[in-house]
Amino acid sequence: MATLAQAVVDQVEVLLQDPSNTRWSTTELLNYLSEGQRLIVNYKPDANTRYLDYNMLGPIATPGAGGTSYARLVEPYYDITKGGLFDDAAGQPGADPLALRIIDILHNMNSFYAHLGAVGTDNAIRMTTEEDLSTQVKNWWRQRSFNSDIRHWMIDPLRPTCFRAYPRPGPFNMAAVRVRYAKIPDVVTSLSSSIEIPDIFQTSLIDYMLFRAYGKDGEASTNNELKMQYWNQFMTGLTLQSGSERATNPAVMGNMPMQGNMPMGGR
């Protein structure tokens, strides 16, 4: 079960010795919690990941508008924050305006959306770069696919929610692709709301909230020292968490040299 905001705020109130919210109101603490979640996801995008089926030829104007946008056909990049909102209940491909950055684009989803006009396979999609693709296919950016089968994707280095595809889908069909992305957490407005990031980040979240709380009285030397102490604890916690994840990352371990049938140094 996800941790409720109430549990996090209660711990912060105890550490601040302000359980009656005399100095720091509940609204303030909830604002600090929201900021902390967003900052953690900004530093560690994998702390809040989602999956999205993205319609590459859907309208990019008002959600629900009919027809294909001309801008979608001429704009070289696709932005997963634009388009009709993704509706889990209806199972329709769309977009997420709270997407922070694309982590991976896994495979085509055309057979799942054949009833909406998608044709082609559900083959996997490989990441590449525009430079590498240009060495193999000189005019790749002009090529379109009329079977909606996307084979490669490239991230926009300046806009992490945008990508290019090869080949691009043709103008008279649609292509749907499965996207893994980092999502910006929603603003927490109630103590009964659940925090979106995993519980393992709860200590870092508390450290950030205490950093912000003591910053309110930063002109006092004692509070300023406490503020910096909690900021350092916040950053140290995220750094240690990242190091632990790298050490146990299956993708990294899978690339370890093999000795017999086992990775060297592993079991």
Side-chain angles (χ1 to χ4, degrees), residues 29-237:
L29 297 179
L30 288 175
N31 288 337
Y32 298 159
L33 191 154
S34 295
E35 292 175 12
Q37 283 200 112
R38 294 186 172 210
L39 191 59
I40 288 172
V41 173
N42 188 48
Y43 286 153
K44 282 188 57 57
D46 60 349
N48 193 35
T49 59
R50 298 288 190 274
Y51 290 92
L52 176 72
D53 292 347
Y54 184 69
N55 177 2
M56 297 176 65
L57 279 182
I60 65 173
T62 305
T68 298
S69 168
Y70 177 72
R72 180 57 61 84
L73 298 178
V74 298
E75 164 65 41
Y77 286 95
Y78 300 91
D79 189 345
I80 66 169
T81 67
K82 297 179 180 179
L85 299 181
F86 181 62
D87 186 347
D88 288 305
Q92 303 297 323
D96 188 344
L98 290 179
L100 175 66
R101 63 179 63 249
I102 297 171
I103 295 177
D104 196 9
I105 298 180
L106 305 171
H107 50 78
N108 290 275
M109 294 289 292
N110 297 315
S111 68
F112 287 85
Y113 299 103
H115 63 290
L116 298 179
V119 296
T121 70
D122 291 331
N123 289 343
I125 305 173
R126 296 192 63 182
M127 183 181 184
T128 186
T129 65
E130 296 178 29
E131 181 180 2
D132 287 344
L133 190 56
S134 295
T135 63
Q136 304 295 322
V137 186
K138 298 298 182 182
N139 64 341
W140 64 267
W141 57 275
R142 298 186 62 181
Q143 295 190 21
R144 294 189 180 278
S145 169
F146 291 90
N147 64 3
S148 298
D149 187 8
I150 307 304
R151 284 174 277 173
H152 296 283
W153 74 278
M154 296 140 279
I155 194 72
D156 180 351
L158 300 179
R159 297 181 297 172
T161 61
C162 299
F163 71 98
R164 298 185 81 168
Y166 171 77
R168 296 175 67 190
F172 302 111
N173 56 16
M174 65 165 277
V177 294
R178 173 66 53 87
V179 181
R180 180 191 292 132
Y181 67 102
K183 176 186 175 296
I184 301 171
D186 294 320
V187 174
V188 180
T189 58
S190 169
L191 292 172
S192 61
S193 300
S194 299
I195 64 173
E196 289 190 50
I197 59 179
D199 291 347
I200 57 173
F201 293 104
Q202 186 171 328
T203 300
S204 295
L205 190 56
I206 291 172
D207 286 336
Y208 178 82
M209 293 173 67
L210 291 170
F211 156 73
R212 289 288 282 114
Y214 283 116
K216 182 176 181 179
D217 294 321
E219 66 277 2
S221 60
T222 303
N223 284 350
N224 192 52
E225 290 176 4
L226 286 171
K227 178 185 74 171
M228 296 313 301
Q229 173 189 326
Y230 283 114
W231 173 256
N232 291 333
Q233 288 180 192
F234 170 73
M235 293 302 298
T236 299

